[in-house]
Amino acid sequence: MCRARLLFHFLALSLLPFARPDEHTHIYEDNDEVVLWMSTVGPYHNRQETYSYYSLPFCMGTKDVINHYHETFSEALQGIELKFSGLEIEFKADIAKMDYCQIKLTEESEKAFIYAVKNQYWYKMYMDDLPIWGVVGEPEENNGVVSYYIWTHKKFDIGYNGKQIVDVNLTSENKVKLVQDAAISFSYEVNWKKSNVKFEDRFDKYLDPNFFQHRIHWFSIFNSFMMVIFLVGLVSMILMRTLRKDYARYSRDEEMDDMERDLGDEYGWKQVHGDVFRPASHAMLFSALIGAGYQVTVVVLSVIIFAILGEPYTERGSMLSIAIFVYAATSPINGYAGGGLYARMGGRIWIKQMILSAFMLPLIVCGTAFFINFIAMYYHASRAIPFGSMETVTCICIFVILPLTLVGTILGRNLAGTPDAPCRVNAVPRPIPEKKWFMEPLVIIMLGGILPFGSIFIEMYFIFTSFWAYKIYYVYGFMLLVFVILMIVTVCVTIVCTYFLLNAEDYRWQWTSFLSAASTAGYVYIYSFYYFFFKTKMYGLFQTAFYFGYMALFSLALGIMCGTVGYVGTNAFVRKIYSTVKID
């Protein structure tokens, strides 16, 4: 069943471009049919709380209905539901104002429209893949009495360049008061105008360079870049000078006899050389997190590069499609990194570890999405994921991600699974001495994420605004630069934290390095609360659950990615310093 569904999606994606050559190739001849798709409607302040356009008692045009199937799997996941408007529109053919349908306001339909106007409902349409937005209506107050009106006339001004549509503008006109038992007629008109806009530039009008390329954005990048230079210089200077002194002290210790060494004041990171490469506690979970972190890092970097090379915002759901494809294709990286690390830590239950690596993150994502999906189904929202899409996700996990992770795990265990620690591990763990409170792992973990968060929090505002508000994010060059800055800052901070921990003769550095870097995600999630309450006007159970649920997933993925980068950098540092010290 799963294989049949995967084959169906593949064939659908392959054959759809030939089903309607004009709409998919964006090439029209004179008087060719131009389809207007009605998409969703919902409260303006709750961008993700959307419903089918015809969930409100609108009426359709008289033209025969055209069934639309989801062009991409990601469209179904994002709740993009297109219904034919029934309006007859032909390329370059002007249409004078004309009625296309009429409704009679019953008590139920009147209440539905009034509720929509009260909550500032807007609707979304598509013509030749260009989005069009309109408002359902507006309230009007006279002498303390509030009346509610809806717009009944749609005026389309369509720009064309050669045989292609390059611009669509909607003007809502003819405001009609909502009165029970009233007959309301809906009308439309179409005006075609020649335009000089090039087809490849037709989405430029939806972008907001004044927002994304604001001086504050540039300043934040410069500020983060200076932070990187400062941190790298500081880490290099402190660690090089400190390590040089440590090496000199340890060299003097080697020249002492046993009596002098016993009477001396021995302390520092060298004292834990017999335990520093001891396998981390809960090695299976740790290796699964590291494997997932490698995969998430590669996925994020790949998606950013794809976005820079192309323009994914011009196609509905393309970013999600790219992310799903890259995540599935990079599953061997997860298996290789996690399986190899688990083998080096002496793990033997490798099949269980492989399954945990493959399904840990997808299960968390799917579990959260399905929980939100139940709320969406209760609300009858378009965001409710169809059962078929859920089944497809399950098939991808079982028949794509799991086998590829298995291949990566086998390669990792055989090619990178041999322990190669520069120091021998003692049979009996060394007791950890008492230390000052600020040297405790928990304190180090909580403080470790402050600077990495400080390097990205302004970019977080732009990313949040593009997803939760009505902005299209397109400055992926900024995102790539911030990504690199975050990686460098995370590694530098984690190395410093680990050095202090080891100097306090605490060898539990694996989890500490991972969690101190991952704590960046905790600050991001806290910032999401601030953004929700002070930067948005979201309300209602569905939108609130959607926001905090998916922000939790975003923060989790960010935490796993940062934690892995921090651990990898710290691991290289620890191996380096212990490989250059003579140890008896």
Side-chain angles (χ1 to χ4, degrees), residues 467-537:
F467 189 80
W468 300 112
Y470 298 91
K471 302 288 184 183
I472 297 177
Y473 192 94
Y474 68 97
V475 284
Y476 291 98
F478 277 114
M479 185 180 286
L480 179 61
L481 188 56
V482 170
F483 176 82
V484 173
I485 289 173
L486 174 63
M487 298 299 102
I488 296 174
V489 173
T490 299
V491 170
C492 290
V493 171
T494 312
I495 287 175
V496 173
C497 292
T498 302
Y499 175 77
F500 288 143
L501 185 74
L502 294 177
N503 228 27
E505 300 181 22
D506 190 338
Y507 50 83
R508 299 170 296 180
W509 64 273
Q510 291 102 328
W511 275 108
T512 304
S513 63
F514 179 87
L515 293 176
S516 62
S519 65
T520 305
Y523 292 103
V524 170
Y525 197 59
I526 293 172
Y527 175 73
S528 72
F529 279 81
Y530 165 80
Y531 185 86
F532 180 86
F533 289 108
F534 296 100
K535 297 296 182 180
T536 73
K537 296 181 180 179

Side-chain angles (χ1 to χ4, degrees), residues 316-356:
R316 294 186 300 270
S318 58
M319 283 292 286
L320 184 57
S321 297
I322 293 171
I324 292 173
F325 173 79
V326 174
Y327 184 85
T330 54
S331 296
I333 296 176
N334 183 343
Y336 186 90
L341 178 61
Y342 186 64
R344 291 194 297 275
M345 288 184 173
R348 298 185 180 277
I349 317 175
W350 67 272
I351 295 180
K352 187 176 179 181
Q353 187 275 336
M354 181 270 299
I355 294 175
L356 181 63

Side-chain angles (χ1 to χ4, degrees), residues 132 172 211 283 329 436 443 491 560:
I132 313 164
S172 298
F211 176 76
K436 295 181 179 180
V443 177
V491 170
I560 292 175

Side-chain angles (χ1 to χ4, degrees), residues 48 240 245 285 288 312 347 431:
Q48 280 68 38
M240 289 303 102
K245 291 181 180 179
L285 175 61

